[in-house]
Amino acid sequence: MSALLPCHRGKLTWNLNSSLRAHTLSKYQSAVSNQRTIYCNAVLSSAAVPSLDKTDFMKLQNGSDIRGVAVTGVEGEPVSLPEPVTEAIAAAFGQWLLHKKKAGSRQLRVSVGHDSRISAQTLLEAVSRGLGISGLDVVQFGLASTPAMFNSTLTEDEAFLCPADGAIMITASHLPYNRNGFKFFTSDGGLGKVDIKDILERAADIYKNVSDENLRKSQSGISSIKKVDYMAVYTSGLVKAVRRAAGDLEKPLEGFHIVVDAGNGAGGFFAAKVLEPLGAITTGSQFLEPDGMFPNHIPNPEDKSAMEAITKAVLDNKADLGIIFDTDVDRSAAVDSTGREFNRNRLIALLSAIVLEEHPGTTIVTDSVTSDGLTTFIEKKLGGKHHRFKRGYKNVIDEAIRLNSIGEESHLAIETSGHGALKENHWLDDGAYLMVKILNKLASARAAGKGSGSKVLTDLVEGLEEPRVALELRLKIDKNHPDLEGRDFREYGEKVLQHVSNSIETNPNLKRAPVNFEGIRVSGFGGWFLLRLSLHDPVLPLNIEAQSEHDAVKLGLVVATAVKEFNALDTSALLNLTRSS
């Protein structure tokens, strides 16, 4: 179950690992003064340490994640996440965690897992070295899911070296094979933007202060890296949840034919470790083997080809249900026996129906691009409250937590992307648990004699009004255009939004949303549009939903007219839409 790996004393992969002990921790010495130093599986790398400054490190921030290029192979995308940088980031997380936990003399441990990416093993070893240098014990889970990593900070089972004081998932979600990155967790949940900024600033300081002199000053130390099959614990919990919902039946899904598409990511476990123990038939499941080149389709429930692949698998195998995950299993979607997709607004409607049966009147928190029809469905048919917030799964989850803290009950926070979290599951952003909620409904309905097959689910979203046209156009800001006058692209983007907002006030056919937390949301011509500034990129995404292409063009023309004087804005996609009329 766990095995002690051999440790070697001596020089580490690069100068950081030894200099860190003698010099670079001085800034945060109070947090680590009582911790022993750790060197594990250390060898001196022959690779040159690239010259980087704090700006280079800060570019790796992607909201509440860290992402970069980990391997070569894509023209124009140089490696930005080499082993030395990874070690510095892991050491910085160790420092941050020691400060956060105020551990004193208590030895902290961090669990580390990864998805199927081709750079995973290299980064796993680099992360382990960096954590060890900060004086933390390391527990390697190997191939794992992002939700499992968070869960390891909550599980109380010393046999599996849990709970972990912190956790790191090595993943870049659905991005191409050459990318990778990190998500960080404590028992309080995923780290936020401020914490990630702090960690990257610490990492840059560590990296900058590396020197050969410090390498020579390094001292010997002893520690261990242990390996644990934590996914066995995590999957067991999912199985128990379905059995409990069906009155403790051993095989509540017996006879159900459910196919899984893992997209060659980390989600292949769901067929053999969750569905089959519950009695389900899983023949026809596809792309379960981890393959970091993702040869079949992008592991992304929002991707058209991915949804076409799972739909075809359901129909070809005459299955009752299809389930698809993204690379690290924190997002998911489903398909019923007729090939009808449960993703985006329809997935939110389905989960809302299930949750509101259990918690009548509760508030459903979603991201900003959900449809008007979803609001009507949640509030008029289901009797709940729809709280439309901002894009970003962490934003949605944090808003649901905030609402509960001020007395407004919320049990579900979910994005159209397939990210979703439930209060009953510690607000853990978990695509597998979302599917378990759906399986619970199937199992409990059959146990109660209320129906069988995925029609039970399809019936739950009956009455959801869906647009005939749904578009997302991306209006890019040229950061180098003279109109920006050296200003940050965000300032320019806000100026565009303000101008569009002012233009709306004089148009009697349009109405601004009375409550809106992101960008400008406007209703008119039987539909709506939302223009907002991207969380991370110099882009203004424009979402349009309408009941006809003609009405969608009308909404597009409103925006095109308002932004025509902004020369740094690439409006080609918008112009193509308006010319189609």
Side-chain angles (χ1 to χ4, degrees):
M1 181 176 58
S2 64
L4 188 64
L5 299 182
C7 293
H8 306 284
R9 300 185 182 188
K11 294 181 180 179
L12 290 151
T13 281
W14 65 300
N15 295 355
L16 160 69
N17 285 355
S18 45
S19 67
L20 184 58
R21 300 188 292 280
H23 181 70
T24 63
L25 292 185
S26 59
K27 182 176 178 181
Y28 310 104
Q29 192 63 43
S30 61
V32 297
S33 58
N34 295 321
Q35 298 297 319
R36 57 194 174 95
T37 56
I38 297 176
Y39 333 103
C40 289
N41 300 337
V43 293
L44 186 64
S45 172
S46 60
V49 178
S51 176
L52 300 171
D53 60 22
K54 185 166 289 188
T55 302
D56 295 307
F57 274 84
M58 302 317 294
K59 288 177 182 176
L60 296 172
Q61 181 162 7
N62 185 63
S64 54
D65 302 341
I66 289 173
R67 288 181 181 172
V69 178
V71 295
T72 58
V74 177
E75 186 176 355
E77 295 189 7
V79 171
S80 59
L81 202 61
E83 290 180 67
V85 170
T86 295
E87 291 170 6
I89 291 170
F93 175 64
Q95 294 176 359
W96 179 91
L97 190 64
L98 287 162
H99 178 75
K100 173 83 171 177
K101 295 287 186 179
K102 297 179 173 59
S105 60
R106 183 171 72 87
Q107 185 68 25
L108 299 186
R109 61 189 172 203
V110 174
S111 58
V112 187
H114 60 78
D115 65 19
S116 60
R117 292 175 179 279
I118 60 174
S119 55
Q121 190 61 38
T122 299
L123 295 192
L124 173 66
E125 293 169 1
V127 165
S128 299
R129 289 190 297 266
L131 289 171
I133 284 306
S134 281
L136 279 67
D137 287 339
V138 180
V139 186
Q140 294 181 348
F141 289 173
L143 186 68
S145 70
T146 291
M149 299 313 300
F150 175 30
N151 210 58
S152 72
T153 68
L154 304 174
T155 299
E156 295 187 4
D157 191 338
E158 192 60 35
F160 287 87
L161 305 179
C162 290
D165 296 289
I168 300 176
M169 178 64 180
I170 303 170
T171 182
S173 188
H174 62 282
L175 294 182
Y177 75 91
N178 65 322
R179 308 295 183 88
N180 217 327
F182 312 106
K183 296 182 179 181
F184 303 90
F185 302 93
T186 69
S187 57
D188 294 328
L191 272 60
K193 296 177 185 177
V194 174
D195 299 320
I196 299 302
K197 182 174 182 289
D198 183 357
I199 288 168
L200 286 172
E201 288 175 345
R202 291 173 184 257
D205 287 340
I206 291 169
Y207 193 94
K208 180 179 67 176
N209 290 316
V210 171
S211 71
D212 286 334
E213 179 184 355
N214 288 320
L215 175 64
R216 291 191 293 272
K217 290 179 181 179
S218 66
Q219 302 173 351
S220 298
I222 302 171
S223 185
S224 66
I225 297 174
K226 295 182 179 180
K227 290 187 175 182
V228 169
D229 180 17
Y230 180 75
M231 289 302 290
V233 179
Y234 172 74
T235 54
S236 175
L238 297 177
V239 169
K240 288 176 182 175
V242 180
R243 286 174 176 159
R244 189 164 52 246
D248 294 321
L249 289 174
E250 181 71 13
K251 294 186 180 297
L253 298 180
E254 191 162 21
F256 280 112
H257 189 174
I258 303 173
V259 296
V260 176
D261 184 327
N264 301 111
F269 68 86
F270 201 80
K273 301 296 185 182
V274 178
L275 293 175
E276 290 176 14
L278 294 168
I281 302 163
T282 61
T283 54
S285 292
Q286 59 191 17
F287 317 140
L288 305 183
E289 305 79 12
D291 185 338
M293 295 302 292
F294 311 120
N296 293 292
H297 63 70
I298 298 170
N300 179 6
E302 283 193 290
D303 182 70
K304 183 179 179 181
S305 63
M307 292 307 298
E308 287 174 351
I310 183 61
T311 300
K312 185 176 187 301
V314 169
L315 297 176
D316 287 352
N317 291 278
K318 296 181 173 56
D320 296 301
L321 187 70
I323 291 173
I324 187 169
F325 297 111
D326 76 336
T327 317
D328 58 325
V329 202
D330 59 0
R331 295 189 294 137
S332 58
V335 176
D336 73 9
S337 59
T338 69
R340 188 183 190 192
E341 298 173 0
F342 291 113
N343 67 346
R344 299 187 62 80
N345 287 293
R346 206 176 293 157
L347 179 64
I348 297 174
L350 175 59
L351 268 299
S352 297
I354 293 171
V355 168
L356 280 160
E357 281 185 356
E358 300 168 347
H359 305 283
T362 196
T363 294
I364 308 298
V365 181
T366 74
D367 59 342
S368 59
V369 299
T370 48
S371 70
D372 288 346
L374 180 67
T375 302
T376 301
F377 182 76
I378 290 172
E379 298 190 345
K380 302 299 183 183
K381 180 170 183 180
L382 301 180
K385 179 180 177 183
H386 183 197
H387 183 82
R388 189 186 287 116
F389 197 55
K390 301 176 182 178
R391 287 282 274 180
Y393 69 93
K394 194 72 169 58
N395 290 330
V396 173
I397 292 171
D398 287 347
E399 179 68 1
I401 294 171
R402 186 191 71 81
L403 291 177
N404 279 286
S405 72
I406 62 172
E408 182 173 341
E409 183 188 79
S410 176
H411 286 268
L412 174 63
I414 185 168
E415 269 200 310
T416 49
S417 65
H419 281 289
L422 291 121
K423 184 179 181 181
E424 69 187 51
N425 195 38
H426 311 283
W427 292 116
L428 170 55
D429 179 36
D430 189 344
Y433 194 83
L434 287 188
M435 293 302 102
V436 161
K437 287 296 288 186
I438 291 174
L439 296 176
N440 288 350
K441 188 63 182 176
L442 287 177
S444 61
R446 187 167 72 174
K450 294 181 179 179
S452 181
S454 60
K455 189 176 184 301
V456 170
L457 307 176
T458 307
D459 288 347
L460 287 175
V461 298
E462 189 66 35
L464 172 66
E465 296 175 11
E466 299 184 78
R468 290 185 173 86
V469 179
L471 305 170
E472 180 171 291
L473 309 178
R474 297 176 68 80
L475 314 183
K476 296 181 180 179
I477 300 171
D478 181 357
K479 294 189 293 184
N480 300 314
H481 196 281
D483 281 9
L484 267 69
E485 300 175 342
R487 294 171 295 175
D488 180 72
F489 74 84
R490 300 195 66 84
E491 185 179 343
Y492 188 83
E494 293 293 348
K495 188 177 178 181
V496 172
L497 292 175
Q498 186 58 55
H499 187 76
V500 173
S501 178
N502 293 341
S503 70
I504 298 303
E505 303 298 333
T506 60
N507 192 327
N509 296 315
L510 304 173
K511 180 181 179 182
R512 288 186 59 177
V515 178
N516 189 53
F517 295 94
E518 184 173 44
I520 303 165
R521 189 180 178 106
V522 175
S523 297
F525 305 113
W528 59 271
F529 74 78
L530 173 70
L531 183 67
R532 60 187 175 84
L533 187 58
S534 170
L535 296 174
H536 316 300
D537 303 317
V539 173
L540 287 163
L542 172 65
N543 293 86
I544 297 175
E545 289 192 2
Q547 292 306 316
S548 70
E549 290 186 12
H550 184 64
D551 288 336
V553 168
K554 286 182 179 178
L555 291 168
L557 281 169
V558 169
V559 179
T561 302
V563 303
K564 64 182 180 181
E565 303 300 328
F566 289 87
N567 297 318
L569 196 63
D570 180 1
T571 59
S572 55
L574 187 55
L575 292 176
N576 287 338
L577 169 68
T578 57
R579 286 170 183 162
S580 67
S581 62

